[in-house]
Amino acid sequence: MTDSHSPLDLPGEEHDEYHPDDEYHPDDEHHPDDEYERAPRPSGHRRAKKKKGRFGCLFVFVVVIALVVGGLYYGVSWVSDRLAGGGEPEDFDGVASVAECATGAGDVQITVPAGYSAGQIGQLLADEGVVASSGAFTTALASSSVRDGERSMCTGMSGAQAAELMTNADYIGGAGGITITAGRTAPQTFELLSGATGIPVADFEAAAEDPAIGLPAEANGNIEGYLFPDSYNFGPEPTAVDILTQMVARWQEVATEVGLVDDAVPGYTQFELLTLASIIEKEVLLPEERPAVAEVIYDRLEDQCAGVPEGLLQMDSTVNFIKGETDTPFTTDEDRASPSPYNTYRFAGLPPGPIATPGRTAMEGAVNPSDEGYCFFVAAGDGSNSSVFAATLEEHNANVRRAQQN
């Protein structure tokens, strides 16, 4: 969490910020240490607020009614499950092995669409005979969340077994499946893909330079940021080109869905928005905070922040990218003196390209920034992984003091 603009920062003191525990292995070819000059983003590119017309209001009303009706349907289904079983939902005795169901022995392939609620997933499983009732699944699931994606499952599973399979990332994708989490660099992703498929890392490095994988021209052959984090099943005997092609295509699909396109934010290209989203991904953990981080970045790029040098993002995540480290939340004075063009403490504007692969919520945040006047943020320091945002340096300094006391 960037808190580098506070008078409380002393020379030589490390900067404390949150980063996921991934390791960076940046490709030196894309990280020159030559002098690199970037003009700051000129002001006047503020995000226009969207206006809702009568049609838009009607559409929202219809959607709300649909959600209410859908919620009532699944709620009634859950209640009826309980009533039918004398207070407890009907449940199967279960199968011998959850792992076997998830890795090949399953007789049902379940695809969980994005955005499905626990009740909807439970009903889907009940309809396919995987569980005896929606309530058996939702009761066992409790407060755990389920990621969308494909699963291999068995009919006749208990609610607890289905919940275990649905929440274990190792089972997503079915037999031969793999889940790539957001915030990883391309080299880290190659290592994971190699471990899952047995294909040498060198093959993925070569495939990344193959035009057949479908990188946008704006990427200039640099795959960083385009290997979309998701659950995949690459099928039998895929090649490195097959795998990277599928991941880049998935990135393009999601970018289109969330509106990450040229001028989605006036004056910014799709590549710039992707770069911005990658910084958002690495700066905060909580999805709901990503629009606020986006606003901080835009306001700094457009020189809207008193107390911040013109156009400097001063994001420690970009410095850690240079270092090849993300297992530490700190940067030092020496780190921040790096001549790399990825050093946003030294060079104004966005870095030359993405610093990791952003997930959907980071991409959504990049194109839907908040509008609160935020210029600063710092880790709350209370163990919640949350951040505290401020519009002024004075407010930020107060937030820093509170964080230090936690």
Side-chain angles (χ1 to χ4, degrees), residues 98-99 137 159-169 171:
V98 173
F137 173 75
Q161 289 176 328
E164 177 188 350
L165 194 155
M166 279 287 182
T167 55
N168 189 331
Y171 297 150

Side-chain angles (χ1 to χ4, degrees), residues 51-86:
K51 296 182 180 179
K52 294 182 180 179
R54 285 176 293 178
F55 176 78
C57 293
L58 177 61
F59 175 76
V60 170
F61 176 75
V62 171
V63 170
V64 169
I65 292 299
L67 290 173
V68 169
V69 171
L72 287 173
Y73 170 78
Y74 289 108
V76 169
S77 174
W78 184 83
V79 171
S80 65
D81 285 339
R82 286 186 170 272
L83 293 176

Side-chain angles (χ1 to χ4, degrees), residues 363-383:
M363 293 165 69
E364 289 173 337
V367 297
N368 296 288
S370 62
D371 190 17
E372 303 294 333
Y374 291 141
C375 285
F376 306 90
F377 62 105
V378 65
D382 58 2

Side-chain angles (χ1 to χ4, degrees), residues 248-308:
V248 171
R250 179 63 177 143
W251 174 86
Q252 186 62 68
E253 180 181 6
V254 175
T256 301
E257 289 173 358
V258 304
L260 191 107
V261 296
D262 287 345
D263 284 325
V265 175
Y268 292 84
T269 66
Q270 182 185 60
F271 183 73
E272 289 173 323
L273 293 172
L274 176 62
T275 300
L276 196 146
S278 73
I279 298 173
I280 296 171
E281 182 68 55
K282 300 305 294 183
E283 285 289 334
V284 292
L285 178 64
L286 302 181
E288 60 267 26
E289 294 181 347
R290 286 168 177 166
V293 177
E295 184 183 3
V296 171
I297 294 174
Y298 285 121
D299 285 346
R300 292 186 180 189
L301 287 173
E302 298 167 12
D303 196 24
Q304 301 293 311
C305 299
V308 181

Side-chain angles (χ1 to χ4, degrees), residues 34-299:
D34 300 330
E35 287 193 13
Y36 182 88
E37 296 184 1
R38 266 195 313 273
R41 175 73 57 177
S43 60
H45 292 281
R46 306 304 297 155
R47 283 78 63 206
K49 294 184 178 179
K50 297 178 182 178
K51 296 182 180 179
K52 294 182 180 179
R54 285 176 293 178
F55 176 78
C57 293
L58 177 61
F59 175 76
V60 170
F61 176 75
V62 171
V63 170
V64 169
I65 292 299
L67 290 173
V68 169
V69 171
L72 287 173
Y73 170 78
Y74 289 108
V76 169
S77 174
W78 184 83
V79 171
S80 65
D81 285 339
R82 286 186 170 272
L83 293 176
E88 292 297 327
E90 183 181 358
D91 201 0
F92 290 136
D93 291 335
V95 296
S97 171
V98 173
E100 288 183 5
C101 288
T103 56
D107 54 359
V108 181
Q109 289 295 311
I110 298 294
T111 300
V112 178
Y116 256 37
S117 68
Q120 288 173 306
I121 297 170
Q123 192 61 48
L124 173 64
L125 297 180
D127 291 344
E128 294 292 337
V130 174
V131 295
S133 65
S134 172
F137 173 75
T138 55
T139 299
L141 187 66
S143 60
S144 300
S145 60
V146 176
R147 292 187 64 246
D148 55 290
E150 184 179 281
R151 314 308 201 276
S152 171
M153 305 186 77
C154 293
T155 54
M157 301 182 78
S158 69
Q161 289 176 328
E164 177 188 350
L165 194 155
M166 279 287 182
T167 55
N168 189 331
D170 292 338
Y171 297 150
I172 301 174
I178 181 173
T179 295
I180 303 297
T181 55
R184 297 187 182 277
T185 61
Q188 289 175 331
T189 302
F190 295 160
E191 291 283 353
L192 290 171
L193 293 171
S194 178
T197 64
I199 299 172
V201 168
D203 287 10
F204 287 106
E205 293 172 340
E209 300 178 1
D210 191 327
I213 65 175
L215 281 178
E218 210 175 15
N220 291 320
N222 182 2
I223 202 170
E224 190 66 75
Y226 291 95
L227 298 173
F228 189 74
D230 207 345
S231 303
Y232 295 94
N233 191 320
F234 299 114
E237 300 183 1
T239 67
V241 170
D242 293 336
I243 291 172
L244 299 192
T245 299
Q246 185 173 337
M247 296 182 75
V248 171
R250 179 63 177 143
W251 174 86
Q252 186 62 68
E253 180 181 6
V254 175
T256 301
E257 289 173 358
V258 304
L260 191 107
V261 296
D262 287 345
D263 284 325
V265 175
Y268 292 84
T269 66
Q270 182 185 60
F271 183 73
E272 289 173 323
L273 293 172
L274 176 62
T275 300
L276 196 146
S278 73
I279 298 173
I280 296 171
E281 182 68 55
K282 300 305 294 183
E283 285 289 334
V284 292
L285 178 64
L286 302 181
E288 60 267 26
E289 294 181 347
R290 286 168 177 166
V293 177
E295 184 183 3
V296 171
I297 294 174
Y298 285 121
D299 285 346

